[in-house]
Structure formats: structure tokens, C-alpha cells
């Protein structure tokens, strides 16, 4: 699953610091705009406590292998990016290539860290980036409308008429300063037509409020302003202190990190919460394989059936799929392993139409 979340925001809001916490890749983090010129791509391990418990039961020879998600650090956008200001066109192209957006907002005061617009105002910062993405989308939509109008009039093309209706809906919303994701489409045909447009503001988004250390647990007034501004967007808001997260990332052992978190009143690091949220934002889920050789997490897209999930492991598994043996994670943990689940009748045999659920422990039978 090579799906990516792109980290966006104005310069100096903490994007690269956050990226460095997420990944072993070290993006340059400096106190001036455009220090990240090329997008940095990090392959990030997805925290999953279920793997630890499965490992304790199975004691696998090759160990426990988590799944991953890709995070892209995209350089800071500025006002005028849609017209090429800063490094605008390149940055917008980088955003277009991602599947979801992590929008970082500065929610801390620090006179030593320059703000590109001279003052801290996360809602204004959000609106600046929204406006730039909307302008680019409006440009795309208006260009496509001209083509569809010609096709719809000239040949009575039904598909062109359908796409034209969708485009007009998007144009109306974007012209009013709304994101494309706020547009309600009437049916699956319209949804299919919309997917072909690859609009920037149609991508799922979550907001990360980068706060100071004192606000890491409960947030602050800036965070509340962001929550109020995005309440109609159905978007998640995550609060974390990137500076603290970078200190946690430097600690060697899990025990040290947990002690640090307990001292500041956090049950889990902000980075862990962010990775899990990014995974969910991409509509990704995890099925598991568990045995004496290895315990492993596998990524699948929500709504995939058993043969498609088998193909995640190997294309031959999907091509020669016969059936899947499925154990629910809770049963596996409660009864203490596969043999016990078989004996208790907790192993289900599923066919080609089985919709795989998050946390399913799977064994695929195939023949090629």
C-alpha cells in the first residue's frame, strides 16, 4: 500500500521538526522559510499494541514485524503559492501526489522563532493555505468545465454532461471559499466523476496543533480557535508539542520514553497518536498473521475482500485463492493461541466474498 500523507503548513510552524520525530530520515530544520526544498519521504512504523501481545503468545523465531505508512514533508506554502509565489507551483504539485493531508498549525508563542506573517494566528494560517489550494482547484475546475461544455454540446456525451454537473458544484463551492471536500455528491456516478479530478481540497485532512510544552496535555486558546474554525469540516484535530516529541525521540529505551511521558502527564506520545490517525485518515486497516515463525501486520484498504488481502502478501495468494481461515484478535488473546481457537470453534472458514475486518488474524489457503 504505497499511500502517502503529506505534511503541509506555512514556513516555521514545525513541519520538519515533526517529520524528524516521525522518521529516521532527517529533514533539515532551520529558523527560516524554505529550508525543505525537496519533499522528504519517511516510511513510518505504525504503532500497534496488538503485535506485542501476539508476540508474547506465539514467541516467533523471526520476531514481530509492524506495518508502515509513508509520510511526506512538503516545504512551507506562502500566500500567492497558487500564482507561483515562493516555490508555490512545485509545492502544490507535491501535495497533488499525496493521498491525504496533515496540516500543521503553529499554536505556540516564541519570539525566537520567526513567523512568516509576523504574528501567531493559526486560523489565519489555515485560511491562507486553504485559499491557495482552493484557487489552484478553481483553476483546474474552470479549465475542465470549458472542455466538458464543448463535449456535452457537440456530441451529446452523457459522461461529459455528468462531469459538467459535478464540476459546476465544485466551482460554486470553491468560488465561495469552501473546500471541495464540503461538496455533497448525489450518487456513485458523481463520486466516480469527482475522483478523476484529483482536487487538492478534496483530499482528507487532519489538523495538527503544534503547541508549547505547557500546553501539550490540555491544549491552549490557539487550539480552541482551531477547533472552532474546523468544526464543520469533520476533520480530526491533534494536539502535540513537536519540541517535546523530538526530545522523546532521542531517548534510547521504551522505558525511558514512558517515564518521560508520565512525568508530563501523557499516556501516549503525540507522534504515536498522529501516526495512527494518519493511517486511519487514509482509510487503511490492518490484518495480522501469527505463528511460530513470525507475527506480522499487513496493511489493507477498508472494504477489501479476502482474496485482495491475500494478494497483499503475495500475488499468487490472490490468483489461486481457495479460502481464508480467520480468527478474531480478541478470541486469539483470550484463548491463548490458534490451537485453542480451533478447539473452541473460534476459527471461521471464509470465502471470496468475506470483507476483512481490522485486527483479523488470517491464514490463506491457495493453489496455483
Amino acid at each position: 500500500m504505497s499511500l502517502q500523507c503529506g505534511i503541509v503548513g506555512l514556513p516555521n510552524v514545525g513541519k520538519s521538526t515533526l517529520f524528524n520525530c516521525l522518521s529516521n530520515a532527517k529533514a533539515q530544520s532551520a529558523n527560516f522559510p524554505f529550508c525543505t526544498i525537496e519533499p522528504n519521504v519517511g516510511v513510518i512504523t505504525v504503532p500497534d499494541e496488538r503485535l506485542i501481545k501476539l508476540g508474547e503468545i506465539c514467541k516467533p523465531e523471526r520476531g514481530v514485524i509492524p506495518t508502515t505508512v509513508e509520510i511526506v514533508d512538503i516545504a512551507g506554502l506562502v500566500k500567492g503559492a497558487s500564482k507561483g509565489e515562493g516555490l508555490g507551483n512545485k509545492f502544490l504539485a507535491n501535495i497533488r501526489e499525496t493521498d491525504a493531508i496533515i496540516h500543521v498549525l503553529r499554536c505556540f508563542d516564541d519570539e525566537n522563532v520567526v513567523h512568516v506573517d509576523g504574528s501567531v494566528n493559526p486560523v489565519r494560517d489555515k485560511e491562507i493555505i486553504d485559499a491557495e489550494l482552493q484557487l489552484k482547484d478553481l483553476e483546474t475546475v474552470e479549465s475542465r468545465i470549458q472542455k466538458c461544455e464543448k463535449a456535452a454540446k457537440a456530441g451529446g456525451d452523457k459522461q461529459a454532461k455528468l462531469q459538467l454537473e459535478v464540476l459546476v458544484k465544485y466551482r460554486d463551492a470553491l468560488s465561495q471559499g469552501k473546500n471541495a471536500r464540503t461538496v455533497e455528491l448525489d450518487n456513485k456516478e458523481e463520486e466516480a466523476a469527482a475522483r478523476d479530478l484529483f482536487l487538492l481540497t478534496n483530499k482528507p485532512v487532519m489538523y495538527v496543533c503544534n503547541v508549547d510544552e505547557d500546553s501539550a496535555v490540555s491544549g491552549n486558546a490557539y487550539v480552541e480557535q482551531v477547533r472552532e474554525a474546523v468544526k464543520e469540516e469533520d476533520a480530526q484535530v491533534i494536539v502535540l508539542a513537536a519540541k517535546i516529541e523530538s526530545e522523546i525521540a532521542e531517548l534510547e529505551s521504551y522505558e525511558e520514553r514512558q517515564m518521560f511521558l508520565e512525568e508530563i502527564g501523557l499516556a501516549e506520545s503525540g507522534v504515536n497518536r498522529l501516526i495512527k490517525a494518519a493511517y486511519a485518515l487514509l482509510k487503511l486497516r490492518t490484518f495480522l498473521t501469527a505463528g511460530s515463525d513470525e507475527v506480522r501486520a499487513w496493511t489493507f484498504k477498508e472494504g477489501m475482500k479476502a482474496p485482495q488481502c491475500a494478494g497483499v502478501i503475495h500475488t499468487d495468494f490472490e490468483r489461486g485463492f481457495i479460502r481464508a481461515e480467520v480468527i478474531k484478535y480478541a478470541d486469539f488473546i483470550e484463548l491463548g493461541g490458534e490451537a485453542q481457537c480451533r478447539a473452541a470453534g473460534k476459527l471461521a472458514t471464509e470465502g471470496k466474498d468475506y470483507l476483512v475486518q481490522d485486527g483479523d488474524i488470517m491464514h490463506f489457503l491457495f493453489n496455483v
Side-chain angles (χ1 to χ4, degrees):
M1 292 283 152
S2 57
L3 298 179
Q4 294 181 336
C5 276
I7 302 179
V8 305
L10 293 181
N12 286 2
V13 297
K15 299 185 313 303
S16 295
T17 301
L18 179 59
F19 179 81
N20 289 343
C21 298
L22 290 165
S23 170
N24 289 329
K26 294 296 180 184
Q28 183 187 4
S29 180
N31 186 21
F32 56 89
F34 309 125
C35 64
T36 309
I37 303 302
E38 296 296 334
N40 293 272
V41 180
V43 179
I44 315 299
T45 296
V46 178
D48 194 333
E49 294 78 8
R50 295 174 297 193
L51 293 174
I52 298 170
K53 293 183 178 180
L54 290 174
E56 290 170 352
I57 291 173
C58 298
K59 297 178 174 55
E61 291 179 12
R62 295 202 297 269
V64 174
I65 304 171
T67 191
T68 59
V69 64
E70 288 188 5
I71 306 286
V72 186
D73 179 27
I74 298 171
L77 284 155
V78 294
K79 189 181 291 186
S82 60
K83 304 300 181 186
E85 291 295 324
L87 299 175
N89 290 331
K90 190 169 186 179
F91 298 167
L92 290 165
N94 290 334
I95 294 171
R96 196 178 297 282
E97 291 170 6
T98 65
D99 302 282
I101 294 172
I102 299 170
H103 190 157
V104 182
L105 297 166
R106 177 172 168 175
C107 294
F108 65 90
D109 292 306
D110 187 340
E111 60 185 19
N112 296 316
V113 179
V114 178
H115 191 289
V116 71
D117 280 329
S119 62
V120 177
N121 186 331
V123 174
R124 176 202 60 205
D125 295 352
K126 171 198 175 304
E127 290 172 350
I128 287 172
I129 287 190
D130 277 354
E132 295 306 321
L133 300 184
Q134 289 163 8
L135 286 169
K136 200 66 181 177
D137 279 349
L138 190 56
E139 184 181 304
T140 299
V141 165
E142 288 179 336
S143 173
R144 294 288 287 270
I145 282 176
Q146 291 178 5
K147 294 177 182 177
C148 282
E149 281 178 335
K150 289 179 182 178
K153 289 178 181 176
D157 188 330
K158 289 185 178 180
Q159 187 59 34
K161 287 181 179 178
L162 172 66
Q163 191 158 64
L164 182 59
E165 290 173 6
V166 172
L167 286 164
V168 168
K169 288 182 180 181
Y170 281 131
R171 182 184 62 188
D172 292 345
L174 292 164
S175 298
Q176 295 171 40
K178 297 178 181 178
N179 291 319
R181 72 180 71 89
T182 64
V183 173
E184 293 185 9
L185 301 175
D186 295 333
N187 50 52
K188 290 183 178 179
E189 288 75 17
E190 286 193 350
E191 290 172 5
R195 278 194 294 273
D196 292 339
L197 299 174
F198 301 107
L199 298 178
L200 300 172
T201 63
N202 218 11
K203 295 179 186 293
V205 64
M206 71 170 151
Y207 297 95
V208 176
C209 294
N210 183 16
V211 299
D212 57 274
E213 182 174 348
D214 293 338
S215 306
V217 176
S218 56
N220 57 28
Y222 291 133
V223 174
E224 293 310 309
Q225 291 168 16
V226 172
R227 290 190 198 280
E228 179 65 23
V230 307
K231 65 182 181 182
E232 295 182 1
E233 290 190 36
D234 191 28
Q236 188 171 356
V237 176
I238 289 181
V239 178
L240 58 77
K243 190 174 180 181
I244 290 179
E245 297 295 329
S246 65
E247 293 173 10
I248 294 171
E250 289 174 4
L251 296 174
E252 293 295 328
S253 69
Y254 173 79
E255 289 74 18
E256 285 180 302
R257 292 192 290 272
Q258 288 304 114
M259 285 178 61
F260 189 106
L261 288 168
E262 286 173 12
E263 285 176 10
I264 61 176
L266 290 172
E268 184 180 26
S269 75
V271 161
N272 274 15
R273 288 185 286 112
L274 173 56
I275 296 169
K276 291 176 182 177
Y279 195 70
L281 189 67
L282 292 167
K283 296 192 183 315
L284 298 179
R285 303 292 181 262
T286 303
F287 73 86
L288 307 156
T289 52
S292 58
D293 53 346
E294 70 176 24
V295 168
R296 185 162 184 164
W298 303 87
T299 296
F300 71 98
K301 190 80 171 174
E302 183 181 73
M304 284 174 62
K305 295 183 178 180
Q308 294 172 289
C309 286
V312 171
I313 299 177
H314 197 286
T315 53
D316 284 350
F317 284 26
E318 181 175 7
R319 187 159 55 91
F321 179 88
I322 299 172
R323 64 183 181 274
E325 295 179 340
V326 183
I327 301 173
K328 296 301 177 183
Y329 170 78
D331 292 333
F332 195 100
I333 298 301
E334 182 183 349
L335 297 174
E338 182 181 329
Q340 293 88 331
C341 288
R342 284 182 183 273
K346 294 294 185 180
L347 184 149
T349 300
E350 304 288 357
K352 293 182 177 181
D353 292 328
Y354 177 67
L355 278 172
V356 178
Q357 303 299 305
D358 184 69
D360 279 353
I361 298 170
M362 311 282 292
H363 175 66
F364 298 104
L365 287 83
F366 70 102
N367 182 33
V368 291

